[in-house]
Amino acid sequence: MGLLTEGRPLSWPETKALAEHVRRHGIEQFINHYHRLKDRSGDSLKWGDEIEYILVKFDELEKKARVALKAESLLEVLNEKEENNPHACKALWRPEFGAYMIEGTPGKPFEGFLTHFNMVEANMRHRREEITDLLKRDECILSLSNFPRLGCEDFTYPSYKPQPNNPNSVTMSKYYPDEASFDGHPRFKTAAKNVRMRRGEKVAIKVKVFKDKFTKLPIEGSPINEPDVVLLDATGLGMGCGCLQVTFQAANMHEGRLLYDQLATMCPIMLALTAASPIFRGYLTETDCRWHIISSSVDCRTPEEKSYIPKSRCDSISSYLSARGEKYNDIPLPYHQRDYNRLRQGGVDHLMAQHIAHLFVRDTICLLSEKVHQNDEQDTDHFENIQSTNWQTMRFKPPPPNSSIGWRVEFRPCDVQLSDFENAAVVCFIILLTRIILAYDLNLIIPISRVDENMKTAQKRDACREGKFYFRRNIFYTADEKKQTSGGYVNGKGSSSHTNGYHKETDDGQEEVEYELMTIGEILNGKSDTCPGLIPLIFSYLETMDIDSNTYGTIEKYLRYLQKRAAGEILTGAQWIREQVLKHSEYKHDSIVSERINYDLLKRIQEIQNGKFVEQILRSG
């Protein structure tokens, strides 16, 4: 979820009163930090993944599955191991929003050696085994994007009831008890409560139900005039979903900004490719992904703010950071002019200044009393307070203070996959994609407005097979394009709303659009008349490298798998989960995922994650 520090959380009135203090000092901290580190260079590639797991308890007698609220007790054991012998840990563990969630990362980052791709899946298996050793026989850890009956009656173990009429409740939700949120760190519940208090009402996450033959409308709890909506009314029903994220270190700030821009256009593509969330609050829905749900769950905008801040604090990015991306910044970028001016006066270039000023449109939603007064020359907590609670598809991360860590980029959109093999395949593909972007000087950038449209497409049912996405026709920079952007970052004020930069004229004076609609199969595998395909380019890149047969075999296995999924030959997790429900003997064609259907589904997923049936299940459905 971002920055975690210990301390006493302030109440919302106290936090609100200090919002301007945090904003002003956060800007000053960034300016000072930026100048200390902007010329840092020569860092080598280091990278790693984050998987957010869900803990599940099975009731074998009643054939029920519930989330197990035991993350805190598990973390006590796991963190003690880390404290006693940090260099020997193969995995690091951190809390997440749900009391049934736990985040696992490699014990140390992988590096730029191709042989390290052999370690990813093994490390993921180790993480699963390390947690499993601490669980009871009827418990398991699942890399599951969303627990299908999250928000249904009796979905937690131990069982707790929501308290929608209790003014002391964190969320006042009809569906999500406060006890389901992690209690061992003050940030989680405080943030959830403050989101509700800042917006002046409970969050309202609306998901269209999948209408089957006997689906009864209105859906229980649906808003007036929206009978076909599954309503979710708590931050935990979004932030309680699991995801897969990849972070990598760039050689310098320039390279990081370039890769941030190029990968931003891949976020919708990878969201659709990794879709694994078709069920919410026990209903089959018309979405395959968790992204809109998590975005709505932390949307703290007031009604007035929605008129000039078009996105939630969790959403797709709204501006590019490199000179090559500037002309494609074609949507209005909300920011306070005062903050932008201060950043520019402080020597921060235009593109970075507007990016930071845009992040700082948001108020802090959780402030600890111990962190109010800081040294802006040395500390960065106020900056990170805002930075880490803008949960966008990409995150550009300055080096931590007094650290050997360099400039980093975090790729954030992916649903977590059902098996270690799939998660490893996705992670390795993203890292290899960064290598070919740099090696071949690729240009994947399209207008931000088109990226936003792609994000909407990506979340529709069956988008991986049926959706079409805007993508560049020619992904190689021309000599003219390189010349136009060779001067580094734009230091004038510039404009955040360019509309003609993504067109060019042919020899006969006709306008030619630089991008077109393509399927994910065409984007990844190639299209004969235009796009060469990203995965064929990776194979071409590997041919130029000194790579042993074992490592090549590992990478090839992952890439061939993703190629088949992109082509529709292998199901996404969402497609497979949906099919499991639709063909279950107890499914009544009413869109409802019952206790027994949920139990059988999660048991089957457990078998997949234990290494059984992976090939035939995910290939054939």
Side-chain angles (χ1 to χ4, degrees), residues 83-99:
E83 290 168 5
N84 292 338
N85 196 355
H87 300 294
C89 291
K90 292 184 179 180
L92 302 178
W93 300 98
R94 299 293 180 262
E96 257 303 326
F97 188 94

Side-chain angles (χ1 to χ4, degrees), residues 209 212-220 227 283 589-592:
V209 75
D212 209 339
K213 188 186 303 183
F214 301 119
T215 302
K216 293 182 180 179
L217 300 181
I219 300 299
E220 187 276 322
Y283 288 94
H589 299 278
D590 55 1
S591 310
I592 295 174

Side-chain angles (χ1 to χ4, degrees), residues 396-415:
F396 186 71
K397 304 174 76 168
N402 304 313
S403 170
S404 61
I405 299 172
W407 294 91
R408 291 156 297 153
V409 177
E410 186 175 14
F411 190 84
R412 301 174 47 80
C414 298
D415 274 9

Side-chain angles (χ1 to χ4, degrees), residues 2 35 66 95 122 136 215 269 322 385 402 440 445 488 505 526 539 605 618-619:
H35 285 297
R66 291 176 281 184
K136 297 179 181 178
T215 302
I269 313 304
S322 71
N385 186 305
N402 304 313
Y440 296 136
I445 301 176
E505 288 189 355
F539 278 120
I605 291 173
L618 295 178
R619 285 178 185 274

